[in-house]
Amino acid sequence: MTVRSLLSITVFSWAAALSAQITAIRAGQLVDPATGTTARDQVILVEGGKIKAIGPAVEIPPKARVIDLSNRTVLPGLFDVHTHLCLGIRTQGGNGLNELLRSLLAATAIETDAYRAIQGVANAREMLRAGFTTVRDVGNAGNYADTALRRAVEDGLVPGPTIVNAGRIITPYGGQYHGLPPTRADIAQPEYLYADSPDEMRKAVRENIAFGATVIKIVVDDQPYLYSVDDVKTLVKEAAAGGLKVAAHCATDTGARIAAEGGVASVEHAYRATTPTLEVMKSKGTFLVGTDFTKQAAHEMGMDEYHGWVVDRLKRAYAVGVPVAYGTDVVFEMPGETRGTLSIEFVTSFDEAGVSPKQILQAMTVNAARLLGMDKERGAIAPGYFADIVATADNPLEKIDAVRHVSFVMKNGQVVRSD
Ligand SMILES: [Zn+2]
């Protein structure tokens, strides 16, 4: 037998064995965010990418691969429902909003789609390593670099979380670039997809779906022309006809209220939403995805005052009872940090707002899964669910900071990190 044939048999058998492989995880502590409880000494059986059985006395088949996490805390894979994987900006460390807008222009209007797809690959890998097994990527990906990234992850070409992607962000004329020069009005496209009339809105949604968007992202405000409640309803209805939900960028209180009344699935940012607006969101079942900047993140973005605003708004949102899903909006880069480490750090803003570890974990798992319409398949460790599992040294239900040090990650039953 030649070396070559031996090798091919080895590879073939390994692949066949892997598909039929049963994995047994011994979990010293198993956290259920939905109930906020911890079970001790559990066995999780994983087969074909999904969870088959869980319990203290589950029998481990003799041929199963055993992963020993008996000295760790095991919990469902985490979600970040507001990412921009194909965007990275180099800020000058807190030089204010004008500097941020200049950096944003350089990173979007000038950077190539090819480079941005590669940025997406790097960021997807780092998000997964930090424990985020699912992300919702809300646009700013040039001409559908995010669709390419989602496909590459699904095809197994590159490691990354399960991705729900928005394609091009639908906005009133001008997008989010303030002070666009009339001689270069075209530079905001293809980054943004302008839609001003109801017909343009319907067409924009259809165009996004045709090019692989799996969620629709709209900008309601952030410029002189706000979408009206009727506009939002038009967009939500057309997205729903294509089976998609709508995420709405709302920088202002008025925008957040319009978006909620128009029936979007989630209001993004709502940095300074008033309590009456939060009450409208609660009554409509609208998720708050607060992108709650840490002090440092706010500084990097030139938005220092935003940290205090979001902590105060988080406090009020939880007091009102608005459903909250964890989303970060990290687009800046910092030496020694990754997109993953910067994104997981946002739990500290929740902590500062007095949100309990149980509630924070719910925002990062079950709530986020519900927002994405995935709550029957991800966001929990339960039989029939995809095996998206992470582990930490300490129990995050006791101190949330523990999630910042994920040491084991499994996605769809495949181990992507174990240290
Ligand atoms: Zn964003």
Side-chain angles (χ1 to χ4, degrees), residues 11-84:
V11 169
F12 176 78
S13 328
W14 173 79
L18 197 68
S19 62
Q21 175 86 58
I22 296 180
T23 302
I25 299 172
R26 288 189 185 281
Q29 301 199 83
L30 178 63
V31 166
D32 177 10
T35 56
T37 55
T38 304
R40 292 194 169 274
D41 299 322
Q42 302 288 301
V43 172
I44 307 166
L45 278 193
V46 174
E47 187 179 16
K50 291 195 170 178
I51 295 161
K52 205 178 167 201
I54 310 165
V58 170
E59 202 179 316
I60 299 179
K63 284 186 181 166
R65 172 180 60 155
V66 178
I67 296 173
D68 185 11
L69 299 175
S70 54
N71 61 352
R72 307 279 171 88
T73 298
V74 173
L75 59 154
L78 308 173
F79 288 59
D80 182 341
V81 300
H82 191 117
T83 69
H84 299 283

Side-chain angles (χ1 to χ4, degrees), residues 82-84 87 138-140 169 176 217 249 268-269 271 291 293 328-331:
H82 191 117
T83 69
H84 299 283
L87 171 64
V138 287
N140 286 127
I169 299 171
Q176 283 181 270
K217 167 80 176 298
H249 168 105
E268 314 294 302
H269 316 304
Y271 303 113
T291 64
F293 289 135
T328 61
D329 203 19
V330 174
V331 295

Side-chain angles (χ1 to χ4, degrees), residues 397-409:
L397 266 184
E398 284 155 20
K399 197 170 186 314
I400 194 63
D401 226 40
V403 293
R404 293 175 62 190
H405 308 285
V406 162
S407 59
F408 173 88
V409 179

Side-chain angles (χ1 to χ4, degrees), residues 85-87 106-121 139-149 167-168 177 187-192:
L85 299 178
C86 300
L87 171 64
T108 55
I110 297 170
E111 193 51 86
T112 64
D113 289 340
Y115 186 80
R116 295 179 68 183
I118 295 168
Q119 280 181 309
V121 169
N140 286 127
N143 210 2
Y144 298 100
D146 57 342
T147 297
L149 177 65
R168 292 170 64 198
Y177 296 115
I187 58 176
Q189 294 179 294
E191 194 71 20
Y192 292 91

